[in-house]
Amino acid sequence: MQNRFAAPLLLLALLLATLAAYWPGLEGGFLFDDFVNLPTLGATGAIDNWPTFWRYITSGTADPTGRPLALLTFLIDARNWPADPLPFKRTNLILHLINGALLYALLDKLGQVVTSDVRRSRAAALLGAALWLLHPLLVSTTLYIVQREAMLPATFVLSGLLIWLHARRQLVLGQWHEGLVWSVVGLGVFTVLGVLSKANGVLLPLYAVVIETSLLHSRQPIPSVRGQRVHRTVIWLLGIIPATAICVYLLRVGAIGILHGGKAGARPWTYAQRLLTEPRVLLDYLSLLWLPRPSSSGLFNDQYAASTSLIQPLSTLPALLVVLALIAGAWRFRRRYPSWSLALLFYFGGQLLESSSIALELYFEHRNYVPALLMFWPLGLWLADTRKLKLLKQSLALALPLGLALMTHARATVWGNARTQALVWAQINPDSPRAQANAAQILMQSGQPEEAVRRLQALLATKPDETQLAFNLIEAHCLTGGITQADIDAARLAMQGSANTGSLFAHWFERTLPVATAGSCPGLTTKVLLDLIDAGLQNPKLAGAGRQQDLIYLRGTVALASHQAEAALRDFIRALDLQVRPALALKGAAALGSAGYPKQGLSLLEHYERVKARRMPPRFGMSMLHEWVLSRQHYWPNEVAHLRHQLNLDARAANVNTGPSNPDQSVTR
């Protein structure tokens, strides 16, 4: 009876220990990409009816699929925006605990293939799951709300592999029909579910192939001829072929990128440089996994230097050789050391999509969440074999999870305090513009703008093209008495050299324009803002239609804030013509109406009606489905009609109050 309940009770204790370790982090707030992705919860109204639900669930833009299952889970926590971060973090933590329980089940299944000792298998599974669950590196996935998109594929990968292992066991027992059905569910259905959460869910077939070739093929053969035929068909159709297709796709992306020879989009490095850099990144990840520490660089890795050749930096070639040696060695010794080989091949296979040729950012800790699932299982098997060094192994089996739990608790405590988090990350990443800009914002909110100025000036001197440093420096100097010509020149230089301002400039601009129009910051005027916009418009790195549209629209908002309605209308029209988007037309027209210029707002809507046939076509994937949903709901025509009706009412009221001779109310036709 005791043995029967020992494993479930120990697993429950592990989950409770993980809950306690993470608990301080639940007090933290939203961060960075949270503000990019989560506002879609209220983008077209509160999600309290089916039309808004379908608009929301198809609104994703990440990956061709739009990650609708990840979006669906956010509805557990909120139906509108802004929202409270606590429910989101709580759900992430619950999901992490569920993944830990699933991992225990998977490791126990695999352990039964390696050893006939059930107690050792379960002890190894518990230790492997414990070291993964409590590892401090995973804090930056679990407590970073938007990275639920990285956690959900783990749920479906683990579930899919468990179902596939059950199916394979049915084939071993001669139940080929049940084995076929469950194989299709595990490797087919759950791969689709994983992909609908995030693209790296597509690696589930590769994981199955790795497990099959490293462990099961030689240790758990299928006796019946029919079962072998079914299994071979499943492995080829749902495993080898999809895995090969992924590899071919990645090779094609890399080859085209290298042959093209240019930068990878707005990235500061080329495809070839990324491929040279990633072995260094992978070894850095492995170092963090096997030599854990209470703190790490967190979300700020923009200072990570790309490799420009095999010897620049010098660690590039050795890192490449070590990674290749680890992969080759794992494959060569997969029968002699199956658990270690499986853990390594699983890890490098899991990094295939995000750490190879696709032009993502170079480094993010959350990319280890799924690949590291099996990483500590071989150690667990060794510790659970107490025939030798029993006392040492038992001591380590207690000390290692406890040590990881303490480090995770320390890191979660930092994540639960925005000020501490920002300052710690800035200290760890002194050369990261993102880290220093984030710390500066926290310091300004805390009434320490002088310290913010010191941080920003120190790094801006070495990174003059970093707009986030220059813009935040203006904001900090506004709090210390006003800006100087040197601040303006630094911001202009940054706008002239920046490769990608993203949404940073727009968000800063929205905060700064009211300050400039009110004259509450000496030296900061609307003319200064226009000067910065013009510098961006002349920057060849920002010559794309999307960037130009954003900047020209901001020119219009400056003109509108200066009560120059006709100039604002011209800029809004010019911006709209670059990429015809109904959302931009509505935004501009609403802004004109709210500022007291309804006739100009109507003119903008009339211009949109004339050019709407040139609307940007949706991208392949979820964007096309989203456009179809909007079309079926007549969403944009209804929104335009509603706004036009309101603007007409406002225009008639303005005519009654001011008469037609008011020059501000005239519209040039």
Side-chain angles (χ1 to χ4, degrees):
M1 182 66 72
Q2 289 179 346
N3 290 337
R4 180 182 176 186
F5 292 105
L9 288 175
L10 287 172
L11 178 60
L12 177 61
L14 169 60
L15 297 179
L16 290 175
T18 305
L19 180 66
Y22 272 93
W23 193 263
L26 297 181
E27 296 300 319
F30 295 110
L31 289 167
F32 311 114
D33 285 353
D34 292 340
F35 293 105
V36 176
N37 293 273
L38 297 178
T40 54
L41 285 162
T44 63
I47 305 171
D48 53 11
N49 56 69
W50 284 113
T52 54
F53 171 82
W54 290 115
R55 293 199 295 270
Y56 166 72
I57 209 68
T58 60
S59 66
T61 56
D63 303 339
T65 66
R67 306 177 183 176
L69 283 184
L71 295 181
L72 182 65
T73 65
F74 291 135
L75 293 178
I76 298 171
D77 312 307
R79 305 289 179 86
N80 207 343
W81 187 262
D84 180 7
L86 177 60
F88 292 90
K89 289 182 177 287
R90 183 175 59 216
T91 302
N92 274 24
L93 180 52
I94 292 171
L95 185 60
H96 185 54
L97 298 178
I98 291 171
N99 287 340
L102 290 171
L103 178 59
Y104 167 79
L106 176 65
L107 296 182
D108 186 28
K109 290 279 189 185
L110 296 176
Q112 292 172 27
V113 180
V114 174
T115 177
S116 58
D117 186 341
V118 175
R119 292 182 63 182
R120 183 188 175 200
S121 171
R122 289 180 178 172
L126 188 68
L127 285 168
L131 298 179
W132 181 84
L133 263 174
L134 293 167
H135 202 290
L137 187 65
L138 304 186
V139 170
S140 59
T141 306
T142 306
L143 293 181
Y144 190 7
I145 292 168
V146 76
Q147 290 312 326
R148 187 178 304 173
E149 296 173 347
M151 300 173 72
L152 280 170
T155 309
F156 293 119
V157 163
L158 290 165
S159 301
L161 290 176
L162 282 167
I163 293 171
W164 171 66
L165 288 175
H166 170 74
R168 199 183 185 285
R169 182 63 181 166
Q170 295 300 109
L171 294 175
V172 170
L173 297 175
Q175 304 294 325
W176 67 268
H177 185 267
E178 291 83 353
L180 174 61
V181 171
W182 285 115
S183 293
V184 172
V185 172
L187 298 186
V189 174
F190 275 79
T191 296
V192 173
L193 293 174
V195 170
L196 293 177
S197 301
K198 191 177 181 180
N200 57 3
V202 77
L203 294 174
L204 172 54
L206 177 62
Y207 297 137
V209 171
V210 168
I211 293 172
E212 176 68 28
T213 55
S214 301
L215 187 63
L216 301 179
H217 181 71
S218 59
R219 291 173 176 261
Q220 195 182 73
I222 297 171
S224 70
V225 174
R226 176 173 286 182
Q228 291 175 8
R229 189 179 299 118
V230 170
H231 177 61
R232 192 180 304 114
T233 302
V234 167
I235 282 294
W236 272 97
L237 292 181
L238 298 178
I240 295 174
I241 292 176
T244 303
I246 295 166
C247 294
V248 169
Y249 170 76
L250 293 172
L251 285 171
R252 180 177 179 273
V253 170
I256 292 175
I258 291 171
L259 291 174
H260 187 267
K263 301 277 176 137
R267 308 297 186 189
W269 32 260
T270 65
Y271 283 92
Q273 290 169 349
R274 188 179 203 278
L275 289 170
L276 288 174
T277 305
E278 286 307 310
R280 292 169 44 221
V281 172
L282 290 173
L283 291 187
D284 200 7
Y285 290 160
L286 288 173
S287 171
L288 290 170
L289 285 166
W290 283 106
L291 299 172
R293 58 213 71 170
S295 60
S296 67
S297 58
L299 305 186
F300 298 111
N301 302 288
D302 49 317
Q303 80 280 15
Y304 200 93
S307 296
T308 55
S309 71
L310 284 172
I311 58 172
Q312 187 62 39
L314 288 174
S315 58
T316 302
L317 180 58
L320 176 61
L321 294 176
V322 169
V323 168
L324 291 176
L326 287 172
I327 296 172
W331 179 256
R332 172 67 178 79
F333 296 105
R334 66 190 185 279
R335 288 187 173 84
R336 185 181 301 179
Y337 306 108
S339 62
W340 286 103
S341 295
L342 175 55
L344 283 172
L345 292 173
F346 192 99
Y347 179 79
F348 286 114
Q351 294 286 1
L352 194 61
L353 208 63
E354 295 181 302
S355 299
S356 60
S357 57
I358 298 177
L360 305 171
E361 293 201 38
L362 295 176
Y363 190 117
F364 270 123
E365 292 178 358
H366 67 257
R367 293 175 184 165
N368 291 279
Y369 191 84
V370 178
L373 283 169
L374 306 189
M375 182 61 68
F376 308 109
W377 176 55
L379 177 59
L381 282 169
W382 181 76
L383 292 174
D385 184 3
T386 55
R387 291 173 297 180
K388 296 180 181 179
L389 305 173
K390 182 176 181 180
L391 182 60
L392 172 63
K393 290 180 179 179
Q394 288 178 339
S395 299
L396 287 174
L398 290 173
L400 290 176
L402 178 60
L404 292 180
L406 292 174
M407 285 188 276
T408 293
H409 186 273
R411 192 174 295 194
T413 301
V414 171
W415 274 75
N417 186 303
R419 176 182 169 83
T420 302
Q421 184 182 48
L423 297 181
V424 167
W425 281 347
Q427 182 179 1
I428 294 173
N429 305 289
D431 297 323
S432 166
R434 293 176 185 171
Q436 300 308 321
N438 180 57
Q441 290 174 2
I442 294 295
L443 289 167
M444 284 186 275
Q445 294 169 10
S446 303
Q448 296 177 274
E450 295 85 359
E451 175 63 17
V453 168
R454 185 188 66 77
R455 286 180 176 275
L456 295 166
Q457 285 180 330
L459 193 54
L460 186 60
T462 62
K463 299 180 181 290
D465 60 344
E466 285 290 345
T467 52
Q468 56 194 320
L469 299 176
F471 296 157
N472 278 286
L473 183 59
I474 287 178
E475 199 167 344
H477 271 151
C478 282
L479 296 174
T480 60
I483 67 171
T484 65
Q485 187 60 44
D487 297 325
I488 298 170
D489 293 341
R492 184 189 301 111
L493 181 63
M495 282 296 288
Q496 290 171 342
S498 175
N500 181 15
T501 62
S503 59
L504 168 71
F505 184 60
H507 291 159
W508 175 82
F509 190 90
E510 290 173 0
R511 296 196 308 269
T512 307
L513 180 57
V515 177
T517 54
S520 54
C521 176
L524 181 62
T525 64
T526 54
K527 184 178 182 302
V528 169
L529 297 181
L530 285 174
D531 185 36
L532 295 179
I533 293 171
D534 289 339
L537 288 170
Q538 295 165 13
N539 181 351
K541 298 176 185 177
L542 302 178
R547 300 298 177 206
Q548 293 282 301
Q549 182 178 64
D550 293 341
L551 292 170
I552 293 170
Y553 184 87
L554 291 178
R555 278 190 61 93
T557 61
V558 174
L560 190 57
S562 302
H563 306 291
Q564 299 173 4
E566 289 301 323
L569 175 60
R570 286 193 295 272
D571 281 330
F572 290 161
I573 288 175
R574 183 183 166 199
L576 182 62
D577 285 344
L578 285 172
Q579 289 182 334
V580 178
R581 296 189 290 121
L584 186 71
L586 286 164
K587 181 180 177 182
L592 286 163
S594 298
Y597 305 104
K599 289 186 178 180
Q600 281 79 356
L602 288 167
S603 294
L604 182 57
L605 291 183
E606 289 172 7
H607 181 79
Y608 166 70
E609 292 294 338
R610 290 193 293 271
V611 300
K612 67 180 181 182
R614 295 193 284 111
R615 278 178 59 181
M616 290 184 62
R619 294 182 301 170
F620 175 78
M622 185 58 72
S623 295
M624 296 179 66
L625 182 57
H626 183 62
E627 189 65 28
W628 179 82
V629 168
L630 295 178
S631 175
R632 290 279 295 180
Q633 295 181 4
H634 304 289
Y635 179 77
W636 291 122
N638 289 339
E639 290 293 300
V640 169
H642 175 75
L643 181 56
R644 180 182 288 111
H645 174 71
Q646 185 60 51
L647 290 173
N648 276 316
L649 292 177
D650 293 344
R652 285 197 290 270
N655 283 333
V656 170
N657 292 332
T658 64
S661 60
N662 188 333
D664 268 340
Q665 301 298 323
S666 61
V667 181
T668 301
R669 298 290 183 182

